[in-house]
Amino acid sequence: MVHGRPGRLLVGALAVLGLVGGCAGGHGSGASSASPAGGTASAAPRTSASTPGPSASAPAPGTPTAATATAPGRGASTAAGGRCHTSELRAFVGRDDPGAGQENFPVVLTNTSTRTCTVYGHPGAAFLDASGRQLGADPERSSATPPVRITLAPGRSAWAGLSFSSPEVSGARAATPVTLLVTPPDEHDPLRVRWTGGPVPVSGNASAVRLTALAAGTGP
């Protein structure tokens, strides 16, 4: 009985080794990943390719990506930036484009801020003399062009057409303003622009000054 035990132990050990060898042959790369000591340089890529799962560079579950970092419902208003405020705009008057007894000036608003904002509708306008008194009535709002919402990226502009009959042609009483006040739509604070366009009608027949709604760009 004593002499039979080493034989049985040897047979048992060989059986265990055979079982381990069979498992390694049947699962291949799975055995390499489970046993770091037996892994090889070529086994690592096979394990990665055969085992689905997030890569090292993928964000953890629930982490917002660049496309989803903005809270829902705020993307559009953030992109547009809301209404342009007076402090974010610069105003100037472009060159006269006369025709058929009419004087036509583009009144331009430019976004000088670092954000994108919007303008919509008619700006306000008023002519002032050297002492700051208003000359004539406020310009009438023209319906020649329907209002549209204009998105102004930094540095971009919108313009409104300021037109009136030439006083020399219409015979209206005229005055030469020094300043044109321009108030952006839905704002209360005006921008002051030096007026160099000559006389404007302030009373009498055909004395109306008209202003169109804002359009994209700096003029026609």
Side-chain angles (χ1 to χ4, degrees):
M1 295 295 293
V2 175
H3 295 289
R5 292 175 62 190
R8 287 197 300 274
L9 292 175
L10 179 59
V11 171
L14 291 174
V16 171
L17 289 173
L19 180 60
V20 173
C23 292
H27 296 283
S29 61
S32 299
S33 61
S35 178
T40 62
S42 61
R46 292 171 58 198
T47 300
S48 175
S50 62
T51 306
S55 65
S57 60
T63 302
T65 62
T68 60
T70 303
R74 296 179 58 191
S77 61
T78 300
R83 184 177 81 244
C84 296
H85 300 295
T86 301
S87 61
E88 300 173 306
L89 298 169
R90 177 177 65 90
F92 71 91
V93 177
R95 230 194 289 185
D96 184 18
D97 182 23
Q102 284 281 117
E103 310 298 333
N104 305 291
F105 296 88
V107 178
V108 182
L109 294 174
T110 301
N111 181 5
T112 59
S113 74
T114 57
R115 74 179 184 108
T116 296
C117 57
T118 62
V119 291
Y120 176 83
H122 296 75
F127 292 107
L128 304 181
D129 64 15
S131 62
R133 291 176 300 185
Q134 182 168 339
L135 296 172
D138 293 343
E140 296 179 0
R141 291 185 173 185
S142 170
S143 59
T145 55
V148 294
R149 191 169 305 280
I150 303 164
T151 299
L152 297 181
R156 306 299 289 181
S157 301
W159 70 283
L162 179 71
S163 63
F164 51 87
S165 296
S166 171
E168 296 177 356
V169 175
S170 68
R173 188 171 72 84
T176 301
V178 172
T179 301
L180 175 67
L181 292 185
V182 180
T183 306
D186 300 315
E187 292 290 299
H188 298 290
D189 298 325
L191 298 163
R192 300 176 70 91
V193 182
R194 182 167 170 259
W195 177 258
T196 59
V200 301
V202 293
S203 66
N205 294 332
S207 62
V209 179
R210 294 178 175 83
L211 196 61
T212 66
L214 289 163
T218 58

